[in-house]
Amino acid sequence: MTRNGLEKMLLTDLPRCILLYGENEFLINYYSKMIQNKLEGNISTFYFGDYHHEQVLGFLGTNNLFGEKSSLVIKHYNVFNKKQLQEIFSTLTHNPNSFLIVELHKSPNISDTEYAKRFKAMSALFKPTNKFKEVFEVRLYNPSLSEMLQILSKRAKELQLPINSNLLEYLLTIQYYDLSIAYSELEKFIYYSSIDKQLIDELSYSLGNVNIDFLLNALFDKRNNLAKILHTLHDEGVDNTELLRELHRYFYILFKLYGHSRQYGSMDCKQALGYQPPAHILEIWSKRSLKLTTQKYLMLFDLLNAWRNAQFHGKDVSMQYLVAIQEIL
């Protein structure tokens, strides 16, 4: 089933059993939550390593004392085997008050290729049987810019925000087109009767604003003002964890563009990222992505992982790692 097909179905009906997977983590969570909001009764969740097959069967097979619906959400990294799914489908067949949502997420420890193998194997098993036909699977691709704006516009209407599509796109821009962050940021505006770019800058401060430009320019242009920029970021409330996350996201964008260029011989941003950023941003991303080699990308991600580990152990080593990143660039 396509994403559009899922949305049409949810207007009139609910899936008894559905698998959500694909390239976009936000959309997996988004549609899972949408289905959960339409379901009534008890909803329980198994998180990744907490999955226990017998407990799942027990939950799905138990009728509520008051005849209410019981729904189970399974957030999972691994593929169920055929026997497990047959037992799950059989249990759902015998208990029409039970509903199941399976979210197959990409483990941070595997490649995109390995994840694709897993979701293809899982989706091949997630098919209707003669006895249980209410089985669906939906692959969620990265949304286009217009699709992201539609989702944000819908959320803005739910929150009754006085915000137009141009401002929504601006919010996306300063969040580097991260739909998950932009979506969450909308709740900051519920207390304001009017919204403009200045308010968005004040409330939705992101490293997409001017200071990250200063930092990235300093890194790529080998300038020696890293300490001053880092101090400014800290003064404005950006902690090292947020800084690390944003740098990782930025270099991942460059790496995806670089990988697409190497594989297809062209810089097609929409195919590589799933959306088309403004021309001036794409020009910068393109130049910087091709400036680096595969080996340098590997070194950068190793450095970022080492930085994260040091941060986890309470060490403030941001300046040390920024210098190391600058040397690689």
Side-chain angles (χ1 to χ4, degrees), residues 103-306:
E103 303 173 16
L104 184 63
H105 294 266
K106 177 183 177 297
S107 168
N109 300 320
I110 65 173
S111 66
D112 290 344
T113 301
E114 176 58 29
Y115 175 58
K117 289 180 181 178
R118 292 186 184 185
F119 69 59
K120 287 177 182 177
M122 184 79 131
S123 61
L125 296 174
F126 241 80
K127 302 298 180 185
T129 68
N130 291 331
K131 294 183 178 180
F132 186 60
K133 299 186 181 301
E134 299 174 86
V135 182
F136 303 90
E137 50 90 12
V138 184
R139 180 173 177 177
L140 298 165
Y141 295 89
N142 286 320
S144 65
L145 175 58
S146 63
E147 289 170 335
M148 288 191 282
L149 290 173
Q150 287 174 5
I151 290 172
L152 291 179
S153 179
K154 180 180 178 182
R155 181 57 175 161
K157 288 179 181 178
E158 292 172 353
L159 297 173
Q160 298 182 331
L161 300 180
I163 187 169
N164 59 39
S165 59
N166 290 334
L167 291 175
L168 289 174
E169 184 170 353
Y170 179 69
L171 177 62
L172 268 174
T173 300
I174 68 170
Q175 298 298 345
Y176 281 109
Y177 294 87
D178 189 315
L179 179 58
S180 177
I181 295 178
Y183 187 89
S184 298
E185 288 292 293
L186 288 176
E187 293 190 14
K188 293 182 178 181
F189 301 96
I190 60 176
Y191 302 107
Y192 296 86
S193 58
S194 64
I195 301 172
D196 56 19
K197 286 187 176 182
Q198 182 178 350
L199 183 64
I200 291 175
D201 286 340
E202 291 174 358
L203 297 186
S204 295
Y205 178 80
S206 142
L207 294 187
N209 281 328
V210 64
N211 285 322
I212 189 58
D213 289 334
F214 289 156
L215 177 61
L216 291 169
N217 289 339
L219 289 172
F220 277 92
D221 298 338
K222 309 290 186 181
R223 299 176 188 171
N224 60 0
N225 57 343
L226 292 177
K228 182 178 179 180
I229 296 173
L230 183 60
H231 180 72
T232 301
L233 290 171
H234 287 165
D235 282 348
E236 296 192 4
V238 179
D239 62 26
N240 291 334
T241 300
E242 184 180 4
L243 174 63
L244 175 59
R245 184 186 72 240
E246 294 290 344
L247 286 175
H248 191 282
R249 181 170 59 176
Y250 187 82
F251 285 118
Y252 186 60
I253 288 172
L254 299 188
F255 179 66
K256 292 185 76 171
L257 291 173
Y258 168 80
H260 188 276
S261 178
R262 287 289 301 272
Q263 184 172 0
Y264 298 103
S266 64
M267 185 67 70
D268 190 325
C269 193
K270 189 169 184 179
Q271 285 191 12
L273 304 178
Y275 57 86
Q276 188 72 29
H280 68 283
I281 293 178
L282 176 57
E283 182 180 0
I284 295 172
W285 287 359
S286 300
K287 289 179 179 178
R288 287 178 173 173
S289 70
L290 297 177
K291 182 179 179 181
L292 303 174
T293 64
T294 301
Q295 184 60 35
K296 285 189 175 182
Y297 278 112
L298 293 174
M299 293 169 65
L300 282 170
F301 290 123
D302 284 344
L303 267 179
L304 292 170
N305 288 332

